[in-house]
Amino acid sequence: QVQLVESGGGLVQAGGSLRLSCAASGGTFSSYAMGWFRQAPGKEREFVAAMSRGGGGTYYADSVKGRFTISGDNAKNTVYLQMNSLKPEDTAIYYCAASVFYYSSSTASYNTWGQGTQVTVSS
């Protein structure tokens, strides 16, 4: 019954930073593996980053390695995506997702999704 709400998106210049938040409710945060995905207009939803149940492992798409960091705060029941050195190609709607099974780069592994938050990176 977990529900997810993303926030923190906005307009930023190339090279800038944003931190996205995903607030979870309706369940124990540590019971879920969490992922971040993004979708640009006319394109399929693609994997960005994931964090294992308990936060012991992280996994990133090659396109964001070294620039993005996924983390969680159990006390706040929130997952974050810190995005640095943003590029125009990072422009998309960003979604967080929860899995009761395992963290994965596949959308099929996630059973619950947030509504998304828009990130726009200008040149």
Side-chain angles (χ1 to χ4, degrees), residues 1-2 32 97-101 107-113:
Q1 296 183 4
V2 64
Y32 302 92
S99 172
V100 299
F101 304 111
T107 58
S109 298
Y110 299 86
N111 55 288
T112 303
W113 296 81

Side-chain angles (χ1 to χ4, degrees), residues 4-84:
L4 307 175
V5 179
E6 302 97 332
S7 62
L11 175 64
V12 64
Q13 292 184 332
S17 298
L18 285 172
R19 188 178 74 162
L20 305 184
S21 298
C22 175
S25 62
T28 303
F29 179 76
S30 61
S31 297
Y32 302 92
M34 303 296 299
W36 285 96
F37 293 76
R38 65 188 183 188
Q39 187 167 22
K43 297 183 179 180
E44 295 185 356
R45 192 167 300 185
E46 67 174 355
F47 170 74
V48 175
M51 180 177 68
S52 65
R53 184 177 295 102
T58 57
Y59 176 46
Y60 298 92
D62 288 342
S63 59
V64 306
K65 286 181 179 178
R67 299 190 297 122
F68 291 11
T69 303
I70 186 172
S71 62
D73 187 334
N74 287 341
K76 297 181 178 180
N77 230 28
T78 300
V79 172
Y80 303 98
L81 184 68
Q82 178 66 47
M83 306 187 296
N84 299 324

